[in-house]
Amino acid sequence: MTITITAFERSPDGGRGLARDTRVRWALEEVSRPYEVRLVSFAAMKEPAHLALHPFGQIPTFEDDDVALFETGAIVFHIAERHAGLLPGDARTRARVLMWMFAALNTVEPPILDLVTTKVLESDKPWSKERLPLVEERVRVRLEQLSDRLGDAEWLDGAFSAGDLLMVSVLLRLKASGLLGEHPNLSAYVARGEGRPAYKRAFDAQLAVFTASQ
């Protein structure tokens, strides 16, 4: 079985590991599965060949001998289901891990992405300065709730899982904002994720693509 994923030919995140292919790379590294990367340009992402894999013209996509997938959460779940290391065997704990995967992508990430959009894409709008505090407050509410739930635990529910992989990936977008630092336990949680050897390999692989494009 040959696994192939797609990634930006020139990542807009500057090689900081924020492009979503990093999440898939990390999952594959955690379960020790080799993979190939097909780099695509922004123009190629809108062409029929890529749209056949990802109808919304984004990255990453995932292909192996059995299936072709898009959407990071679905890809990470597929990897975790097929290879040991990211999902527990116990049915109840496994259900909670799935819960955290959905929470990361559906509850925690949306206000964070809204913050990024407000700061980067809407900063020149006349209403941006008024909107920014409102967006930041929505992020703060989510961080407060997550911080309370995590407490002094190492991971969200026992051992490191796909839920932690996605949650850490989501929270990484806040490192430059200063908001994450308001909760030392969340900062430490993200640092533990970044410190995992599998994450380091995934990060270095994504950074190498950006560096080569310079």
Side-chain angles (χ1 to χ4, degrees), residues 13-68:
D13 77 334
R16 292 181 296 150
L18 300 181
R20 285 181 172 83
D21 64 281
T22 305
R23 304 175 186 186
V24 177
R25 294 175 188 267
W26 186 4
L28 289 167
E29 293 288 354
E30 287 285 354
V31 300
S32 301
R33 298 301 303 175
Y35 62 96
E36 297 178 356
V37 180
R38 183 169 65 252
L39 301 178
V40 292
S41 65
F42 286 105
M45 288 164 61
K46 308 306 178 185
E47 294 177 354
H50 187 75
L51 291 174
L53 291 171
H54 198 312
F56 304 110
Q58 299 175 320
I59 60 97
T61 60
F62 172 100
E63 299 169 83
D64 63 19
D65 292 342
D66 301 316
V67 68

Side-chain angles (χ1 to χ4, degrees), residues 36-214:
E36 297 178 356
V37 180
R38 183 169 65 252
L39 301 178
V40 292
S41 65
F42 286 105
M45 288 164 61
K46 308 306 178 185
E47 294 177 354
H50 187 75
L51 291 174
L53 291 171
H54 198 312
F56 304 110
Q58 299 175 320
I59 60 97
T61 60
F62 172 100
E63 299 169 83
D64 63 19
D65 292 342
D66 301 316
V67 68
L69 300 171
F70 65 93
E71 286 298 331
T72 310
I75 296 170
V76 171
F77 178 60
H78 175 75
I79 293 168
E81 268 202 317
R82 300 194 66 173
H83 307 288
L86 289 172
L87 283 178
D90 173 70
R92 292 183 179 180
T93 310
R94 184 186 182 95
R96 291 196 300 271
V97 168
L98 294 177
M99 172 186 72
W100 282 116
M101 292 176 70
F102 278 98
L105 299 179
N106 292 351
T107 302
V108 179
E109 187 168 42
I112 293 174
L113 291 178
D114 198 17
L115 177 62
V116 173
T117 299
T118 302
K119 284 187 170 183
V120 177
L121 301 179
E122 300 175 346
S123 60
D124 60 338
K125 306 299 182 184
W127 37 261
S128 179
K129 289 185 178 180
E130 294 182 4
R131 185 171 187 267
L132 182 58
L134 301 175
V135 176
E136 288 181 334
E137 181 57 25
R138 286 196 288 271
V139 174
R140 282 192 168 96
V141 168
R142 286 290 179 251
L143 293 180
E144 183 72 31
Q145 294 165 331
L146 181 62
S147 174
D148 288 346
R149 181 58 181 264
L150 179 66
D152 59 1
E154 186 176 18
W155 304 113
L156 290 170
D157 198 316
F160 177 83
S161 71
D164 295 296
L165 187 153
L166 290 177
M167 188 66 78
V168 169
S169 297
V170 164
L171 294 177
L172 279 167
R173 292 188 180 276
L174 291 175
K175 285 185 67 176
S177 72
L179 296 177
L180 194 63
E182 296 176 5
H183 299 280
N185 65 332
L186 293 184
S187 293
Y189 171 66
V190 170
R192 283 192 292 275
E194 291 179 288
R196 294 182 68 82
Y199 175 80
K200 292 179 179 179
R201 292 192 296 270
F203 180 92
D204 289 345
Q206 204 252 19
L207 178 61
V209 173
F210 179 81
T211 302
S213 69
Q214 298 301 294

